[in-house]
Amino acid sequence: MIDTYEVLVVGAGPAGTAAALRAAELGARVGVVESGPTGGTCVNSGCVPTRVLAKTARLMREVRTADVYGIAVTEQRIDWPTTVARVRATVERVRQTKDDAGRFEAAGVDLLRGRARFVSPHELEIRADDDAPRRVRAEAVVLCVGGHSRRLPVPGAELATMPEEVLDLPELPGRVAVVGAGNTGAQLVTIFNAFGSEVTLLEVAPRILAPSDPDVSAHVEKAFREQGVRVEAGIESVERLERTDDGIRLAWTVEGETRDVVVDAVIMSTGWPAAIEDLGLEAAGVEAEQGAIPVDEYLATNVGHVYVAGDANGAAMLVQAANAEAEAAARNAVLGTTVRAPHHLLPAGGFTDPDYADVGLTEDQARERDEHCVTTLVAYEDLERPAIDDRPRGFLKLVADRRREYLLGAHAVGENAVEVIQAVTTAMAAGVDVATLAKVEFAYPTYSAAIGVAARRLLEEPAVR
């Protein structure tokens, strides 16, 4: 007897959990397949543990400046085992708070333990380690399998530590090289730099945080360099890793020249392909390309009853995007394909030193659409709250249409940058025009007051018609 589900969700991370619960809410019989802990990469080895490490790094920075506030700290050091234990305890607490298994049970969703693999377009085999495989049939399938770290195909790559393995390091490395300057790599740079490690950052793109507005990238890179981080952007390639008597030698090339550094740990943050190797996609006829499963605007694959939400479709690869996609995919799977992927506004950022965040179009993207778009930048050093907190590094940049009516994008660097951009995102989502935003009375003294200042500055010059 083969169990039949109206919707089968593969993966119980943020996207899978949201998709399963939404499909059940809509009245479908739902099963969700998961081989590991629920919560996915974000809870178990990604966002949550990284954020705890970032919090620890922030505390370490505060300790180092405590004396200027009259606070005497006699010892400034990281106890690595205690730090790791704190991270793991927090991950467990978040798991308990989310209680995904309990929510599945309350919603009538069957949690099927094991790894799923297509054997035909509508049938999947679920295999657990110690049990005989079982087959299930599904009218619709929502793949929420997430992604995984990618090791560069270079000699000695096995010597590298992947981001999810950082907590397994036996001791705090005194010298660290981070390969890849995206969100994860940049946050790891800040963390280890604050912990007292010598840090080298390598990036193939001409600038770090390449998807961000260039002003954001430049500001964060300048801060990294001032903090003693060796930043090597625009490298041609990583050549090799090799064990030496003094650690791990990492070699790379820049304009034909080979450079190297010897470190205690090399962390590779170099891509996030979809975790699709063992899904048996060929048995279902589902196409994959360039490490992801392409989908249309309704999140459907080339096989109409198979949808993909979250990292596996290679689109936004953010938890907030995964949740939104999951809601849309679940609705389409149950009620028919009518809901498009909702990605018109997607705030994102990193908890580095300084923090950074973006939403909407960068200035370059906006000018490609309209060369007469307008921008303004408010420096943190001109605001009272950053002065109070002794955090004057940073800015808020707004991008508006030529008539200065609506915001097209917002970009921030500095303390509370992510929260500031979230506030701007709320205004953009509500369709608040620049003139109305300029009239908002922001609490004093706050970082978000920069929004009102920037909006008023946008209105100072005449609009271009």
Side-chain angles (χ1 to χ4, degrees):
M1 187 71 178
I2 298 179
D3 285 332
T4 299
Y5 293 94
E6 291 170 275
V7 177
L8 185 71
V9 179
V10 182
T17 299
L21 294 175
R22 181 60 173 149
E25 222 175 61
L26 294 171
R29 186 180 184 221
V30 182
V32 58
V33 185
E34 178 56 65
S35 62
T38 61
T41 297
C42 180
V43 169
N44 296 291
S45 59
C47 319
V48 171
T50 301
R51 186 68 190 96
V52 180
L53 288 173
K55 165 71 171 179
T56 310
R58 174 181 290 273
L59 290 173
M60 196 65 194
R61 294 193 298 270
E62 297 291 345
V63 164
R64 292 196 177 111
T65 59
D67 60 319
V68 301
Y69 293 93
I71 302 171
V73 179
T74 57
E75 188 175 24
Q76 303 173 7
R77 69 178 183 87
I78 289 291
D79 184 320
W80 182 244
T82 301
T83 298
V84 171
R86 172 66 180 179
V87 173
R88 297 195 191 283
T90 303
V91 168
E92 182 57 34
R93 186 165 64 251
V94 171
R95 283 199 203 112
Q96 292 174 3
T97 300
K98 286 173 58 62
D99 188 23
D100 292 329
R103 289 194 292 161
F104 289 149
E105 183 177 2
V109 174
D110 291 343
L111 178 56
L112 311 173
R113 287 295 185 181
R115 294 176 296 279
R117 183 180 180 85
F118 282 102
V119 294
S120 74
H122 283 278
E123 289 188 5
L124 294 91
E125 183 178 82
I126 302 172
R127 184 182 296 273
D129 291 336
D130 300 324
D131 299 325
R134 60 182 292 192
R135 286 198 178 189
V136 297
R137 181 174 178 80
E139 296 176 20
V141 179
V142 183
L143 299 176
C144 304
V145 294
H148 58 77
S149 299
R150 180 178 73 95
R151 288 184 190 272
L152 293 177
V154 298
E158 71 280 359
L159 298 175
T161 299
M162 309 313 287
E164 66 272 18
E165 298 170 340
V166 164
L167 295 180
D168 297 325
L169 291 170
E171 59 186 10
L172 180 64
R175 302 163 298 174
V176 177
V178 177
V179 184
N183 289 341
T184 299
Q187 290 180 109
L188 289 171
V189 165
T190 280
I191 289 164
F192 282 104
N193 178 259
F195 288 177
S197 303
E198 295 179 10
V199 181
T200 300
L201 175 61
L202 304 184
E203 172 57 51
V204 172
R207 57 188 174 90
I208 71 171
L209 302 173
S212 292
D213 187 272
D215 285 340
V216 170
S217 298
H219 206 93
V220 175
E221 180 174 331
K222 181 181 179 182
F224 281 180
R225 292 184 186 278
E226 290 176 356
Q227 293 160 12
V229 176
R230 178 182 179 183
V231 179
E232 294 267 355
I235 72 169
E236 293 172 7
S237 63
V238 172
E239 293 297 311
R240 70 184 66 83
L241 291 77
E242 57 188 12
R243 182 77 67 185
T244 71
D245 292 340
D246 191 32
I248 300 171
R249 178 177 176 267
L250 171 65
W252 65 94
T253 57
V254 179
E255 298 180 348
E257 173 193 352
T258 298
R259 300 178 185 176
D260 65 8
V261 66
V262 177
V263 295
D264 302 303
V266 176
I267 304 174
M268 279 190 182
S269 182
T270 50
W272 190 253
I276 56 177
E277 293 82 1
D278 299 319
L279 276 179
L281 295 178
E282 62 283 352
V286 175
E287 297 175 354
E289 59 183 43
Q290 297 181 338
I293 305 174
V295 295
D296 63 17
E297 59 185 332
Y298 300 100
L299 299 163
T301 68
N302 64 299
V303 177
H305 68 277
V306 180
Y307 301 84
V308 185
D311 294 357
N313 64 35
M317 292 190 284
L318 295 164
V319 170
Q320 54 271 39
N323 288 332
E325 289 177 359
E327 293 275 344
R331 187 174 180 83
N332 290 338
V334 177
L335 302 179
T337 302
T338 59
V339 180
R340 291 179 172 86
H343 283 335
H344 59 292
L345 282 177
L346 190 61
F351 301 99
T352 48
D353 181 25
D355 295 347
Y356 66 91
D358 303 91
V359 68
L361 301 180
T362 66
E363 180 177 349
D364 291 344
Q365 291 168 339
R367 294 203 183 283
E368 287 177 5
R369 300 188 182 189
D370 179 3
E371 64 178 348
H372 297 297
C373 70
V374 292
T375 67
T376 191
L377 188 147
V378 175
Y380 267 27
E381 63 186 5
D382 295 334
L383 302 172
E384 294 91 333
R385 179 58 186 272
I388 293 168
D389 291 349
D390 194 24
R391 300 291 289 177
R393 178 187 290 278
F395 64 84
L396 171 64
K397 178 180 182 179
L398 298 184
V399 184
D401 70 295
R402 63 168 67 191
R403 294 182 177 85
R404 290 148 174 85
E405 291 178 346
Y406 294 101
L407 295 179
L408 304 177
H411 313 278
V413 172
E415 194 79 355
N416 285 344
V418 178
E419 303 296 337
V420 170
I421 290 300
Q422 186 62 63
V424 178
T425 303
T426 302
M428 292 172 69
V432 176
D433 60 77
V434 176
T436 300
L437 191 59
K439 295 175 184 176
V440 173
E441 298 292 340
F442 288 87
Y444 179 90
T446 59
Y447 291 93
S448 58
I451 300 171
V453 175
R456 289 189 288 276
R457 288 186 183 177
L458 279 175
L459 298 176
E460 288 177 356
E461 297 183 9
V464 178
R465 297 293 173 181

